[in-house]
């Protein structure tokens, strides 16, 4: 077939671009305009080969092979096919598994079936050498593209370079048409300057440090005498086994489960501190009111047609920024409520999002990869940002003004 095909090793392309623009091969250090990048690859391939593009194959790794936000966007673009290998963590570092094998299989299959006349490889891995040689034996011209190396040296296998029919270097000027250094000073932070809502939380004082052993014993005796145990300034009147060791300031959800219900504890058994977009806020006991607990979840308010439209919007329009994720979830929930009473009732619960809705919110956030690269535990900064975005949308609709 008189067409060209582009096979992209995303780990190589984006890692080398990060090294060139940001000084280290870490993807969070760069921001990528994927639409511009794909268009640039297509234009350059068609110009270099003199043939129309058949398809761009994008090979990348993902935890459990679950598509991340950029993969979902890429795979709905015209002429783009995404192939995912596994992304595993070993010795504190992430490594791709199966990407090279998938590229090798695709390369040899395209050549064997004469699906194209020219193949462009954007990779540096010498493991693809057998596949490259096989493609040449089937009469396919192989073009090897490199990303300009930060130190001016090779960032590709020399054997791969030697065997390629044509070679091209994607220089800084070409790369910067679609890739730029991230403005965030912290590679893990979603924004260069934390939003005021998040900054207030991150600057909140930490819980008190554990008391010295002799102070802890005095503290325990006082609690036994009064029939209560005080764990720092954040938990009052909770049983000792509910808050753990002396000096522990904030109970975990598992601790709270031991506090009992209002039926057995008519009075609140603890004073809790809830994280919110204005720092730590003291609230009463953990029990929700029946009205709050009865608030419907988004899934209960969503039809099959709306669910399909939501998924399309997530793929094409939602960036995956934690704050935006919270806003989008709250917008959909608010728009599908039968009336405004429930929304105002929720606003009165600030900063605590009802348990069922909060769980659904975090599960929704997981679709955008906010959990996948953090050992399956949501990052604290992202958690604050998701909930701050949720409350910002609710406050905008209710007109609430938070101090």
């Amino acid at each position: 077939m008189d067409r060209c095909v582009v096979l992209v090793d995303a780990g190589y392309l984006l890692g080398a671009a990060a090294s060139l623009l940001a000084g280290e091969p870490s993807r969070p250090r760069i921001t990528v305009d994927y639409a511009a990048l794909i268009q640039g690859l297509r234009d350059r391939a068609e110009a270099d080969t003199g043939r129309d593009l058949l398809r761009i194959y994008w090979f990348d790794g993902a935890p459990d092979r679950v598509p991340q936000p950029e993969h979902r966007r890429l795979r709905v673009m015209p002429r783009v096919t995404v192939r995912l290998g596994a992304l595993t963590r070993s010795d504190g570092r992430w490594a791709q598994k199966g990407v090279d094998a998938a590229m090798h299989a695709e390369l040899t299959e395209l050549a064997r079936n004469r699906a194209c006349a020219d193949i462009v490889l954007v990779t540096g891995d010498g493991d693809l050498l057998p596949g490259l040689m096989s493609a040449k034996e089937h009469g396919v011209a192989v073009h090897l593209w490199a990303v300009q190396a930060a130190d001016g040296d090779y960032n590709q296998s020399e054997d791969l370079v030697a065997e390629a029919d044509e070679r091209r270097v994607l220089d800084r000027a070409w790369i910067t048409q679609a890739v730029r250094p991230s403005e965030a000073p912290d590679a893990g932070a979603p924004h260069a300057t934390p939003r005021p809502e998040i900054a207030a939380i991150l600057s909140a004082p930490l819980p008190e440090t554990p008391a010295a052993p002799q102070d802890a014993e005095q503290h325990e005796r006082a609690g036994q005498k009064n029939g209560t145990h005080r764990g720092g300034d954040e938990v009052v009147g909770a049983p000792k086994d509910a808050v753990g060791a002396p000096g522990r300031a904030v109970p975990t959800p598992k601790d709270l489960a031991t506090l009992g219900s209002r039926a057995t504890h008519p009075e609140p058994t603890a004073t809790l501190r809830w994280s919110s977009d204005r720092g730590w806020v003291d609230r009463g006991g953990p029990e929700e009111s029946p009205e709050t607990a009865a608030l419907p979840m988004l899934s209960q308010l969503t039809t099959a047609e709306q669910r399909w439209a939501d998924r399309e919007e997530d793929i094409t329009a939602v960036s995956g920024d934690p704050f935006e994720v919270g806003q989008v979830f709250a917008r959909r929930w608010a728009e599908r409520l039968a009336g405004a009473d429930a929304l105002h009732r929720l606003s009165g619960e600030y900063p605590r999002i009802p348990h069922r809705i909060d769980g659904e919110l975090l599960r929704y956030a997981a679709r955008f990869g906010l959990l996948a690269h953090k050992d399956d535990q949501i990052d604290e900064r992202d958690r604050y940002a998701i909930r701050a975005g949720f409350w910002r949308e609710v406050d905008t609709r209710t007109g609430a003004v938070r101090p």
Side-chain angles (χ1 to χ4, degrees):
M1 185 179 289
D2 194 22
R3 300 285 185 92
C4 68
V5 169
V6 181
L7 305 184
V8 180
D9 179 349
Y12 166 76
L13 174 60
L14 301 182
S19 292
L20 179 64
L21 302 181
E24 61 179 278
S26 174
R27 292 202 208 179
R29 297 296 302 275
I30 56 175
T31 300
V32 183
D33 181 341
Y34 286 97
L37 180 58
I38 293 299
Q39 188 61 50
L41 289 169
R42 178 172 186 168
D43 292 344
R44 175 59 65 89
E46 292 181 338
D48 279 10
T49 64
R51 305 181 188 278
D52 292 336
L53 177 77
L54 173 62
R55 191 172 297 115
I56 294 175
Y57 289 91
W58 184 273
F59 295 87
D60 203 1
D64 298 324
R65 291 184 169 86
V66 176
Q68 302 301 293
E70 65 269 21
H71 303 142
R72 292 198 296 270
R73 287 184 179 79
L74 284 164
R75 66 185 185 180
V76 297
M77 293 181 183
R79 305 277 180 166
V80 176
T81 296
V82 176
R83 298 280 190 255
L84 295 179
L87 193 63
T88 60
R89 193 174 182 85
S90 177
D91 297 328
R93 301 183 63 180
W94 290 99
Q96 294 184 158
K97 300 293 184 183
V99 173
D100 296 339
M103 288 191 71
H104 180 277
E106 200 72 58
L107 174 60
T108 54
E109 193 71 13
L110 288 167
R112 182 182 299 113
N113 293 327
R114 297 291 297 168
C116 57
D118 292 72
I119 291 179
V120 175
L121 288 178
V122 186
T123 185
D125 198 330
D127 289 345
L128 284 177
L129 182 61
L132 185 153
M133 297 175 67
S134 175
K136 290 173 61 178
E137 291 170 359
H138 283 87
V140 174
V142 180
H143 304 248
L144 183 66
W145 289 0
V147 176
Q148 178 182 340
D151 56 6
D153 201 355
Y154 281 115
N155 54 14
Q156 291 177 304
S157 162
E158 291 189 19
D159 291 337
L160 208 61
V161 173
E163 283 292 334
D165 294 308
E166 302 285 347
R167 289 167 291 279
R168 166 77 67 178
V169 175
L170 305 175
D171 59 17
R172 180 186 293 268
W174 188 91
I175 291 294
T176 52
Q177 293 177 19
V179 184
R180 66 178 187 275
S182 174
E183 298 176 355
D186 176 1
H191 300 284
T193 303
R195 299 179 189 273
E197 305 90 341
I198 306 172
I201 298 168
L202 298 180
S203 62
L206 295 174
E208 293 181 0
T209 57
Q214 62 182 17
D215 293 337
E217 292 177 2
Q218 295 174 356
H219 180 90
E220 181 66 23
R221 285 197 296 269
Q224 292 174 350
K225 181 178 179 180
N226 295 327
T228 61
H229 179 79
R230 180 183 178 88
D233 291 333
E234 283 66 52
V235 183
V236 180
K240 176 179 181 296
D241 58 356
V243 296
R248 179 172 171 179
V250 182
T252 67
K254 182 177 180 181
D255 295 332
L256 297 182
T258 67
L259 295 180
S261 64
R262 290 185 185 274
T264 56
H265 297 277
E267 299 298 326
T269 56
T271 298
L272 307 174
R273 301 182 77 210
W274 293 88
S275 61
S276 73
D277 57 356
R278 62 184 176 95
W280 292 101
V281 179
D282 290 341
R283 295 290 297 226
E287 295 293 331
E288 296 176 352
S289 66
E291 294 80 9
T292 300
L295 288 173
M297 298 168 63
L298 177 61
S299 59
Q300 297 172 313
L301 302 170
T302 303
T303 64
E305 292 78 8
Q306 287 173 324
R307 189 172 292 109
W308 177 268
D310 289 348
R311 177 66 75 173
E312 287 296 304
E313 182 184 17
D314 290 342
I315 293 172
T316 59
V318 183
S319 70
D321 169 74
F323 190 90
E324 181 189 7
V325 166
Q327 286 183 305
V328 170
F329 182 93
R331 169 174 58 78
R332 292 173 182 169
W333 189 80
E335 289 176 348
R336 294 166 193 174
L337 285 171
D341 291 345
L343 193 61
H344 284 278
R345 189 186 315 146
L346 173 67
S347 180
E349 293 293 321
Y350 177 88
R352 179 174 59 184
I353 301 174
H355 176 70
R356 294 192 307 153
I357 297 174
D358 187 58
E360 189 180 34
L361 169 62
L362 296 181
R363 289 192 296 275
Y364 171 65
R367 298 181 188 174
F368 296 89
L370 296 175
L371 310 181
H373 290 276
K374 302 178 177 68
D375 298 323
D376 296 326
Q377 293 185 3
I378 195 162
D379 180 75
E380 183 179 36
R381 184 186 296 270
D382 289 347
R383 199 165 60 243
Y384 287 137
I386 293 164
R387 288 164 175 154
F390 179 93
W391 284 117
R392 172 61 64 84
E393 182 68 20
V394 171
D395 291 348
T396 299
R397 291 174 175 274
T398 61
V401 179
R402 309 293 180 188

